[in-house]
Amino acid sequence: MDELTSFVALGDSFTEGMDDPGPNGTYLGWADRLAGMISTHQPGLRYANFAIRGKMLQEIVDEQIPLAVGLKPQLVTFCGGGNDLLVPGSDPDALAEVYEIAVADLRAAGSEVLIFTGFDPKHTPFLRSLRGKIAIYNSHLWSVAERYHCRVVDLWSMSVLHDRRAWSEDRLHLSPEGHRRVALRAAEVLGFKPEDDWSTPWPPLDNEDWMTQRRHDLKWAREHVVPWIGRQLRGESMGDGLAPKRPELLVFDGLGSAEAGEAAWKSAHRA
């Protein structure tokens, strides 16, 4: 795309950056990494990230979309609805209607919008049953992108993310390397040509026997699935009481560590 001077990221934990540890107890994530990539070539880039873990789509629309519309940034990245789809009985058709209204508002404000589809959960036992619902939602997102001339990062087709090393221990959030690959893919969609390839195969991994896999599955269910179900039953969210990590549209001040900065944009350049 043309010279990029301002960028606002909207969404939930995916865009906040869990579980990609950053400085001072915050997270980096693909959005911060993408801002780091862009700012290397656009030193005056202004960046804000309003995403907060646990947010449902309507909360993102009510709380974050108006802020972005008011700021009128050149680029808005918008990902939402994943937490809704985890809830039994949720309707991907109804969610897509809410999503489309938000995209229309962002486009009317003059912002370019980068949309993210949902991941393919076929390799995650707990989420595999949601595959059809996520696929329906993704189909709607592609249609919205076509109607409003938005670019799309197709997470569903990123088979490199099917490797368990792309995910943190909870299997719901990306690992630092997973976030790095998504940032590279987003940069590519925006018209950059990174020297690093987001689809580079992972190094060989020793296969675990069936019993070891089941022990890991049980440990994961005990430590992550059961607490998640408990929060849902209590009507609680991981993001309750949290504020956005980058609430103002300010000149990007770096990722907070030399190592992360190098990983984010060590070799990418404009096409």
Side-chain angles (χ1 to χ4, degrees):
M1 64 188 303
D2 296 332
E3 182 178 354
L4 184 56
T5 60
S6 56
F7 162 28
V8 171
L10 309 177
D12 51 30
S13 59
F14 168 66
T15 304
E16 183 185 349
M18 294 177 71
D19 284 314
D20 184 5
N24 304 319
T26 62
Y27 292 104
L28 296 175
W30 67 263
D32 284 15
R33 292 173 180 273
L34 178 61
M37 296 176 182
I38 297 168
S39 68
T40 299
H41 296 277
Q42 303 291 337
L45 175 75
R46 294 179 299 139
Y47 169 59
N49 189 324
F50 300 137
I52 296 177
R53 69 198 74 170
K55 290 296 182 181
M56 310 297 272
L57 180 60
Q58 191 64 59
E59 292 178 306
I60 296 170
V61 170
D62 292 343
E63 300 167 10
Q64 300 177 27
I65 294 292
L67 297 175
V69 168
L71 291 171
K72 294 181 170 57
Q74 187 177 355
L75 172 68
V76 174
T77 60
F78 180 28
C79 184
N83 290 320
D84 301 78
L85 292 172
L86 291 172
V87 177
S90 57
D91 182 354
D93 300 321
L95 285 173
E97 292 178 4
V98 175
Y99 193 100
E100 180 167 1
I101 293 171
V103 170
D105 288 344
L106 293 168
R107 294 294 283 140
S111 297
E112 297 285 340
V113 179
L114 181 63
I115 287 174
F116 291 75
T117 70
F119 297 101
D120 183 353
K122 70 177 179 180
H123 294 288
T124 305
F126 174 61
L127 302 178
R128 193 177 297 133
S129 63
L130 301 176
R131 218 176 163 219
K133 190 156 61 170
I134 296 171
I136 292 171
Y137 188 57
N138 285 350
S139 180
H140 284 301
L141 297 187
W142 279 105
S143 297
V144 169
E146 182 176 3
R147 283 193 289 273
Y148 294 93
H149 307 289
C150 304
R151 305 188 193 215
V152 180
V153 175
D154 186 12
L155 298 174
W156 181 279
S157 69
M158 290 182 66
S159 58
V160 70
L161 299 180
H162 296 166
D163 190 288
R164 67 171 181 263
R165 288 167 289 186
W167 298 89
S168 66
E169 288 186 358
D170 69 6
R171 305 185 190 181
L172 292 174
H173 300 104
L174 292 172
S175 67
E177 177 61 13
H179 278 287
R180 189 184 77 89
R181 289 177 183 251
V182 169
L184 288 168
R185 178 66 177 128
E188 184 180 87
V189 171
L190 290 172
F192 291 85
K193 188 179 179 181
E195 291 180 7
D196 280 0
D197 185 353
W198 58 267
S199 63
T200 299
W202 296 82
L205 185 66
D206 293 336
N207 292 325
E208 295 179 339
D209 60 47
W210 184 89
M211 185 60 69
T212 300
Q213 292 179 17
R214 298 293 78 76
R215 283 199 296 268
H216 287 167
D217 289 344
L218 288 172
K219 181 175 183 291
W220 167 69
R222 182 174 62 252
E223 295 181 359
H224 300 288
V225 177
V226 172
W228 181 85
I229 292 174
R231 287 194 298 272
Q232 293 298 310
L233 292 175
R234 295 189 299 271
E236 298 176 354
S237 167
M238 293 175 65
D240 288 345
L242 295 182
K245 64 178 182 179
R246 292 180 180 265
E248 299 180 82
L249 189 59
L250 301 174
V251 173
F252 183 71
D253 58 358
L255 293 175
S257 76
E259 180 181 356
E262 180 182 0
W265 188 258
K266 63 182 178 182
S267 59
H269 57 81
R270 279 197 184 278

